[in-house]
Amino acid sequence: MAHSSGTCLSENEIRDLFYELEDADTNLVTYANVKAKFEAILSASSDGPGITDRIARRATRRPSVVQHTNPKTICILNEFYPKHKNPLNEADFTTLVASWNIPSKSNSTAKNDADETIQKRVSLLRQVKAFVSLEARQMLFIAFVIALQVAFGVYQLVMFLHNRPARHALGWGVVVAKTFAGPIYPTIFLMILSMSRWLATLCRKIPGMGRVINWDLHRGFHIYMCCSCLVFSTIHGIAHMSGDFVWGSRPSHQLAVVAFWGKQWYHTTYTKYLSLLPGWSGILALAIFWLIFFLSLPKVRNWNFEVFQLAHLLLFPFVGLLAAHGTLALLHSPMLGYFLIIPTITVVTERVHRLIRGLMHMPATLKTLDKDTVTLTIRRRWDGPWKCAAGQYILLQVPSISWWQWHPFTISSCNSDAMTVHIRHAGNWTKMLRRLPRNDHFCVSVDGPFGAPAQQIYQFDRSIVIGSGIGVTPMSSIANDFANKMSRNKNPWKRLDRSRHRNDGSPFARVYNPFINRSLHSSDGSMNEGSKLKCETHSDAIDVEKAMCSVGMEKTLSASVREVLQAPKRRRVDFHWITRDPPSLQWFSDYLNRAQEAAEAHSQGNSEVHSRDTSAATSAASSFIDLPAYDNAARPMQLQFNINTYVTAPNKTMSDHVFKHLVDRYRSPAQDHSVLTGLKTASHFRRPDFSAVLRDYHAEMCKQGWAGGEVGVFYCGNPGLGATLKEACRTQTTLAWADGSKIRYRFITEVF
């Protein structure tokens, strides 16, 4: 989907361009002036590695001193402004520039409030339905977690309300302390378990698991669990130290203490309560918990990541103290240790494995792409290919920088013996990485790969993939994997098709399908004829056919059902990449071009096959179509792959804006890609308006007959833009429920 660029240059904009290019003496635009300005702008726009082999030596920014004219530059210029043209006055120049159809510069800053206006007209009920359609399952999981916390807290509260000896001996402080100890059990279980990257990777492979538990947000969930557990633990500790410890040490309550615990507890002082194993272990564990919390704050993490990681190693003594905390069984049998076994073993095993991987060094080389970005190529020391999937990430350790720091990076490409990651300068560690020698081997260690949100792209028939800056890395990995599979005639959506085929084969899924009930029975309860049945989707067609076979009506299967059964699966992937400078687009231009070529070749091949199959099926429409011939996994696929790129660097002058478009558009028989970006598709030199992008996308979906289902909107990049995209997805989902299409736009952001 090439998003509309809006209107072309206005008369005022063309007049500004004329004034920038005109000769001061003649007030005319000459070829020499245009050429000088053109070369200066092209030189300034081609700053960075990779462009030098397409554009000759960089000229100075001042047109008057441009030297070393590049034949390629002259060829591009002559395509739009022939050398033999006479000097042009303003009227002739306006006519020429208007023929170029350059989009208006004002389009980049235009605001569109249409969505907000329409959304205000949507009823509250429809807005609620749209929100529930997107968030209901995840809300159920959060509700389940909260219910667990409340249930354990209420259980402890009721138990100690009925324990009169404990209340008489220790007062109401013990009731409060044990009430808040209850929620700690499930909370600390989930808090530690959410740290496991192995578990997140495993659960991403289970179909449907991500719809209930959003593993993409496991880090945020871990933080929320940590904060809530810290609150419960603090209240628990305060209630003990200021409540039952004080109450139980008073002389007037000693008889009650003896009645509850025995004669050996007579004359128990406050310090004795603190010196007992439950006392000092709880205080020390709470102190460690608060220390981990403070050393994990964003300011500390940004200041020194190694301090952040070392602080998390305190988890292990923290867990040990918790396990010992209740072993004396003073109030009831110890429970916390049972909740710590599974998550602790999982995390300890994972950390030991990472420690071992840290001792297995691999050779790596570094290459600079621009002032902020480098590529790291890692090679295996042992035989056999890398076992990784598109969109996954690794944890990288560079011993020459730090033995303790492991940083996540998405895999850009992975072949038989080499893996490449792109790294952007974002802190002290990456700053030290850039100082390592170029083209010389140095040692690194790798743990992983691990599952990432981008892997879910093949779970959607329709996807919008958005990358901002270096955030395009997981998306380019998907594009590379997509191109490789399509070139080998492999179906990237194979697992999705198989799961759907299994669902189509379920004998229980047909009985309760409301579509079947409406299709097979008329309003008076009588059976409809098969020729009257109509359906819109392949699943409905399968349902109709199987239901009619069960009642002996397979001979009257309608033509509409047969047509849907024969139709190819429709898939669509829209790729959006936002970058500041044109040279950055060359990083992954080969991957994107290969993906687009593979999609086009596949679509052309399938269109020919489908046309032959359709004509053959039409001639045999009177015969019954055997169900196995319509295996969902074997149906042909109709694929649409669109690439949209955005260069957001501001154009200071009108000539910047115009000439960048001209250079990017230039194509010749010997060169089918942009000189500026390396892509076969043209780029947009402006900031994208994703509300408008989603609105246009939705209009195209409705026009093509798509209805219902989900569109996966994948994003990796700046968090600010991510928040804007998430809100745009919710807004578009609300509008989809308002117009009856009921398409859900599910926002999925990249989180490590």
Side-chain angles (χ1 to χ4, degrees):
M1 179 188 68
H3 178 56
S4 175
S5 296
T7 59
C8 295
L9 292 174
S10 64
E11 293 183 2
N12 290 335
E13 289 174 324
I14 297 177
R15 187 178 299 112
D16 292 340
L17 179 63
F18 178 82
Y19 292 153
E20 290 179 20
L21 300 176
E22 70 174 342
D23 185 90
D25 298 328
T26 63
N27 293 329
L28 299 175
V29 174
T30 63
Y31 178 83
N33 284 357
V34 173
K35 174 176 170 292
K37 189 70 173 178
F38 184 80
E39 287 189 324
I41 292 173
L42 185 60
S43 175
S45 301
S46 60
D47 186 16
I51 198 72
T52 53
D53 57 340
R54 300 175 185 174
I55 305 297
R57 303 179 55 178
R58 179 175 181 177
T60 60
R61 297 179 184 271
R62 295 171 57 189
S64 58
V65 294
V66 172
Q67 298 176 350
H68 307 294
T69 299
N70 182 15
K72 175 70 72 175
T73 304
I74 300 302
C75 185
I76 297 173
L77 178 60
N78 291 343
E79 177 76 15
F80 302 99
Y81 196 101
K83 186 175 181 179
H84 58 77
K85 274 189 175 293
N86 295 323
L88 301 177
N89 57 30
E90 185 175 349
D92 295 336
F93 182 78
T94 300
T95 303
L96 175 64
V97 174
S99 66
W100 295 342
N101 294 322
I102 303 296
S104 173
K105 188 179 178 182
S106 61
N107 289 333
S108 61
T109 57
K111 299 293 183 181
N112 196 319
D113 298 328
D115 288 345
E116 295 181 5
T117 303
I118 298 174
Q119 190 176 11
K120 290 179 180 178
R121 302 175 184 174
V122 179
S123 66
L124 179 61
L125 179 60
R126 288 187 179 273
Q127 293 186 38
V128 171
K129 287 183 177 180
F131 177 79
V132 171
S133 70
L134 285 175
E135 308 291 347
R137 294 174 180 176
Q138 296 177 19
M139 291 170 62
L140 285 176
F141 173 72
I142 298 299
F144 171 73
V145 172
I146 296 175
L148 275 180
Q149 294 174 329
V150 173
F152 276 86
V154 171
Y155 169 77
Q156 293 277 74
L157 172 63
V158 173
M159 183 173 66
F160 279 88
L161 284 177
H162 288 81
N163 191 342
R164 291 187 176 181
R167 288 209 326 270
H168 291 160
L170 301 172
W172 286 98
V174 70
V175 178
V176 175
K178 300 308 294 183
T179 299
F180 281 92
I184 294 177
Y185 302 142
T187 304
I188 202 166
F189 175 87
L190 295 172
M191 181 189 77
I192 299 176
L193 203 61
S194 61
M195 296 171 60
S196 173
R197 298 179 187 269
W198 287 359
L199 181 64
T201 301
L202 176 64
C203 290
R204 284 191 176 102
K205 296 180 181 179
I206 302 176
M209 177 67 76
R211 304 300 177 90
V212 180
I213 304 176
N214 191 350
W215 289 101
D216 303 338
L217 302 179
H218 69 94
R219 190 177 71 180
F221 179 75
H222 171 73
I223 294 173
Y224 292 142
M225 290 293 100
C226 174
C227 293
S228 59
C229 187
L230 187 59
V231 171
F232 296 143
S233 301
T234 302
I235 298 176
H236 171 77
I238 292 175
H240 272 312
M241 290 188 292
S242 64
D244 50 294
F245 286 8
V246 175
W247 182 283
S249 61
R250 291 175 179 173
S252 58
H253 299 142
Q254 293 303 304
L255 293 179
V257 171
V258 170
F260 181 56
W261 276 328
K263 294 181 179 180
Q264 67 273 22
W265 290 89
Y266 188 69
H267 288 308
T268 304
T269 63
Y270 188 88
T271 55
K272 184 177 180 179
Y273 283 112
L274 293 178
S275 63
L276 293 172
L277 176 62
W280 66 262
S281 63
I283 294 172
L284 189 55
L286 185 60
I288 292 176
F289 203 175
W290 274 103
L291 181 61
I292 296 174
F293 172 79
F294 283 117
L295 294 181
S296 301
L297 293 175
K299 288 186 177 181
V300 177
R301 176 172 177 161
N302 296 334
W303 166 67
N304 194 315
F305 188 79
E306 192 161 330
V307 171
F308 167 80
Q309 289 211 323
L310 289 174
H312 275 67
L313 294 180
L314 294 174
L315 168 72
F316 302 111
F318 170 72
V319 170
L321 290 169
L322 289 182
H325 180 61
T327 53
L328 290 185
L330 295 179
L331 297 174
H332 55 71
S333 59
M335 297 174 56
L336 187 56
Y338 298 106
F339 288 88
L340 294 172
I341 292 175
I342 294 177
T344 302
I345 291 177
T346 302
V347 173
V348 169
T349 305
E350 189 173 331
R351 293 299 186 272
V352 171
H353 176 268
R354 187 172 302 165
L355 179 64
I356 296 173
R357 294 299 295 265
L359 302 175
M360 302 169 62
H361 296 161
M362 307 177 195
T365 55
L366 203 63
K367 179 182 177 182
T368 301
L369 290 181
D370 58 33
K371 62 181 181 180
D372 292 326
T373 311
V374 297
T375 58
L376 185 70
T377 302
I378 309 166
R379 298 193 177 275
R380 299 190 68 163
R381 289 187 180 273
W382 54 89
D383 296 333
W386 290 95
K387 295 181 180 180
C388 60
Q392 290 186 325
Y393 69 96
I394 60 171
L395 290 176
L396 179 67
Q397 179 208 62
V398 182
S400 59
I401 297 177
S402 173
W403 280 90
W404 298 104
Q405 295 193 42
W406 292 83
H407 292 269
F409 296 102
T410 303
I411 301 171
S412 303
S413 63
C414 186
N415 51 38
S416 59
D417 65 338
M419 176 188 293
T420 302
V421 295
H422 284 67
I423 302 173
R424 182 175 62 87
H425 172 59
N428 294 330
W429 189 88
T430 52
K431 183 179 180 180
M432 290 186 286
L433 179 68
R434 290 177 61 87
R435 294 175 180 172
L436 296 178
R438 302 296 186 270
N439 301 321
D440 291 338
H441 290 288
F442 57 92
C443 291
V444 301
S445 298
V446 173
D447 189 16
F450 302 102
Q455 288 182 268
Q456 302 178 53
I457 190 172
Y458 295 137
Q459 297 179 16
F460 295 87
D461 290 327
R462 297 160 289 180
S463 301
I464 301 175
V465 183
I466 303 168
S468 175
I470 197 65
V472 77
T473 306
M475 313 313 176
S476 65
S477 177
I478 292 292
N480 187 36
D481 176 75
F482 173 82
N484 291 335
K485 288 181 178 178
M486 297 298 289
S487 62
R488 298 196 301 267
N489 292 324
K490 290 186 177 181
N491 180 10
W493 288 269
K494 185 177 181 179
R495 178 176 294 183
L496 176 64
D497 292 338
R498 284 182 173 178
S499 66
R500 287 179 175 173
H501 179 57
R502 288 194 296 268
N503 292 336
D504 290 340
S506 171
F508 303 101
R510 317 293 158 228
V511 180
Y512 302 103
N513 192 324
F515 177 84
I516 299 300
N517 294 332
R518 292 195 305 268
S519 301
L520 291 179
H521 299 86
S522 59
S523 58
D524 59 358
S526 60
M527 188 74 70
N528 281 327
E529 293 295 328
S531 59
K532 297 179 182 179
L533 296 178
K534 293 183 179 181
C535 54
E536 298 178 355
T537 67
H538 182 263
S539 297
D540 287 341
I542 289 287
D543 291 348
V544 169
E545 184 182 30
K546 288 194 172 185
M548 294 184 67
C549 289
S550 65
V551 294
M553 297 177 60
E554 63 272 10
K555 298 297 182 181
T556 62
L557 194 65
S558 68
S560 66
V561 176
R562 297 175 188 273
E563 181 180 355
V564 173
L565 286 170
Q566 296 170 1
K569 298 183 291 288
R570 292 187 297 172
R571 300 268 163 65
R572 176 169 176 169
V573 179
D574 288 73
F575 190 97
H576 298 263
W577 185 4
I578 309 161
T579 184
R580 179 175 176 80
D581 302 307
S584 300
L585 295 173
Q586 297 178 42
W587 298 347
F588 307 107
S589 59
D590 292 340
Y591 298 163
L592 298 180
N593 289 337
R594 286 180 58 236
Q596 188 175 27
E597 291 169 358
E600 291 174 352
H602 179 84
S603 297
Q604 291 174 359
N606 266 350
S607 62
E608 297 176 1
V609 173
H610 180 56
S611 62
R612 294 196 299 268
D613 292 346
T614 303
S615 60
T618 303
S619 62
S622 59
S623 61
F624 174 66
I625 301 174
D626 191 17
L627 181 62
Y630 297 101
D631 184 344
N632 188 42
R635 290 170 61 209
M637 180 172 62
Q638 188 180 64
L639 180 63
Q640 185 178 355
F641 188 86
N642 304 306
I643 297 176
N644 300 272
T645 52
Y646 302 86
V647 179
T648 61
N651 297 315
K652 298 180 180 179
T653 63
M654 187 56 62
S655 53
D656 284 346
H657 177 77
V658 172
F659 289 153
K660 284 180 183 178
H661 278 86
L662 293 181
V663 173
D664 187 57
R665 287 181 181 181
Y666 174 77
R667 302 291 187 274
S668 67
Q671 179 174 302
D672 59 351
H673 56 265
S674 168
V675 174
L676 206 57
T677 65
L679 295 169
K680 293 187 175 182
T681 56
S683 299
H684 305 280
F685 292 86
R686 57 181 176 82
R687 293 187 179 276
D689 178 3
F690 280 109
S691 294
V693 169
L694 290 179
R695 184 171 57 252
D696 293 347
Y697 181 94
H698 183 77
E700 290 186 26
M701 290 293 95
C702 294
K703 186 177 180 181
Q704 295 173 5
W706 294 71
E710 287 187 328
V711 176
V713 181
F714 296 85
Y715 174 72
C716 183
N718 182 276
L721 179 57
T724 302
L725 271 171
K726 185 175 183 179
E727 184 60 32
C729 290
R730 287 183 177 178
T731 300
Q732 194 58 56
T733 301
T734 302
L735 299 178
W737 278 77
D739 63 23
S741 60
K742 296 184 179 180
I743 299 176
R744 301 184 298 276
Y745 292 82
R746 185 182 171 202
F747 179 75
I748 303 171
T749 185
E750 194 74 8
V751 179
F752 299 122

